[in-house]
Amino acid sequence: MFRIGQLGDVMIFFALGPLQAGTAGRKFSIETPSARTTLIALLIEEGRPVQTPVLLKRIWESPPKSAASNLRLYVSRLRDQLNSIDPELGGRISTIRGGGGESGGYLLRITADDLDIMRFQQITARGLGELRAGDPDAASASLTRALGLWRGAVGQDCVFSSRVRAQFDTLDQLRTTARERLIEALLSLGRSAELLPEIRRVLELEPHREKSWENLIRAHYLSGDIANALGAWNLASEALRDGFGLDLSPDLRRLHLAVLRRDDDAIRRFTEFS
């Protein structure tokens, strides 16, 4: 876990799964649905102030006339629940008073060490950089750590507008990228057949992911199954070109050529196809 300053040695907001807040090493659920939704809407600003109209459009697809007064009630309930966990937590929410034509808003003071979403993004970026730099050992450690922060679907038990759902979809895509790149690093470290179930799970959910098709071909080949490596190429061609109308990338074509040539070194080097 990561140090965060005054509240001990653990993060204090957990959104990658059931929404929780923590203090002194303990986690507590946010009980009220409206408070959960408001907390997530503030957390995704990552410590930046957010104006009231923006918050309203996150919580409601079409904000009702009473939305502004409802939001004030929601924030009050959220403060109360956070105060019941630790007064320091409730004190992190500041009200921004309107003025000069501004509508006012709210600020939830957090840093990257306070929120699992931000930590996930940071550690994933580190792992991807290590992979690009040719260090699969460091990359596999970082990406394993990043993925370990996930406890379930982000934003569960909350009601949001499509704008927020789109942000969650982007986060889910980064999670899939981290899974793919972790597999890529592990393949370069000599793992192969044992990775096949995880690769297939990714492809079952997202058969358009070319990196996962590359990983499937490499895993079969490096486990000594050349026939299934070639079969995976055929399946990739069918899924990407016929199923989604996508052109096969130069990287995927080079990988196919390496399999045909039985070029073990080229297939093992993950940088060859990154």
Side-chain angles (χ1 to χ4, degrees):
M1 303 298 285
F2 302 93
R3 300 198 64 82
I4 62 161
Q6 295 184 359
L7 290 181
D9 62 352
V10 295
M11 289 177 290
I12 56 176
F13 292 110
F14 305 84
L16 299 177
L19 184 60
Q20 295 176 314
T23 181
R26 301 175 64 194
K27 297 179 184 177
F28 301 86
S29 298
I30 306 299
E31 299 297 337
T32 308
S34 61
R36 288 197 296 269
T37 296
T38 305
L39 179 55
I40 284 281
L42 291 170
L43 285 172
I44 60 178
E45 274 301 320
E46 300 181 350
R48 298 180 294 267
V50 55
Q51 290 188 341
T52 295
V54 175
L55 278 173
L56 299 183
K57 291 179 180 178
R58 288 180 180 166
I59 297 173
W60 290 278
E61 198 70 45
S62 299
K65 291 182 179 180
S66 61
S69 59
N70 288 347
L71 178 62
R72 289 192 291 272
L73 177 61
Y74 293 175
V75 173
S76 177
R77 288 174 177 170
L78 174 59
R79 279 198 180 107
D80 288 344
Q81 292 189 44
L82 292 178
N83 280 329
S84 70
I85 296 171
D86 189 310
E88 198 274 347
L89 291 183
R92 285 176 175 250
I93 301 177
S94 301
T95 301
I96 303 169
R97 302 301 176 185
E102 296 294 333
S103 59
Y106 298 92
L107 168 66
L108 175 59
R109 292 181 291 105
I110 56 173
T111 69
D113 289 330
D114 296 332
L115 175 60
D116 56 0
I117 290 175
M118 297 172 72
R119 291 304 297 162
F120 167 71
Q121 292 169 328
Q122 282 194 347
I123 303 171
T124 296
R126 180 194 309 157
L128 297 180
E130 290 162 345
L131 194 59
R132 287 192 296 270
D135 191 347
D137 281 296
S140 63
S142 293
L143 294 172
T144 298
R145 194 176 193 182
L147 290 166
L149 295 173
W150 284 76
R151 298 167 295 113
V154 63
Q156 59 183 266
D157 298 326
C158 300
V159 178
F160 298 107
S161 70
S162 58
R163 300 171 184 85
V164 175
R165 290 294 170 194
Q167 290 182 262
F168 292 166
D169 289 344
T170 298
L171 195 59
D172 282 334
Q173 288 300 303
L174 182 58
R175 182 189 189 185
T176 301
T177 296
R179 292 170 69 187
E180 289 179 324
R181 295 298 179 162
L182 174 58
I183 291 168
E184 184 179 357
L186 293 173
L187 285 168
S188 299
L189 293 172
R191 309 266 289 274
S192 54
E194 65 201 87
L195 301 173
L196 287 168
E198 173 67 4
I199 299 170
R200 292 192 181 105
R201 277 192 289 270
V202 175
L203 286 171
E204 285 174 4
L205 295 173
E206 301 191 58
H208 62 281
R209 303 284 301 198
E210 187 170 285
K211 176 56 64 177
S212 284
W213 285 112
E214 293 177 15
N215 285 340
L216 183 63
I217 294 169
R218 293 179 66 210
H220 278 304
Y221 184 95
L222 294 173
S223 63
D225 191 346
I226 296 173
N228 270 324
L230 292 170
W233 156 261
N234 292 331
L235 290 173
S237 300
E238 180 179 347
L240 297 171
R241 188 162 48 200
D242 300 336
F244 294 97
L246 300 174
D247 292 331
L248 302 181
S249 72
D251 283 347
L252 191 56
R253 293 181 184 278
R254 282 195 293 270
L255 177 58
H256 180 224
L257 184 59
V259 172
L260 292 174
R261 291 175 173 173
R262 309 298 194 265
D263 190 340
D264 296 359
D265 290 339
I267 294 171
R268 187 170 291 107
R269 291 197 307 271
F270 68 92
T271 53
E272 186 78 12
F273 309 108
S274 298

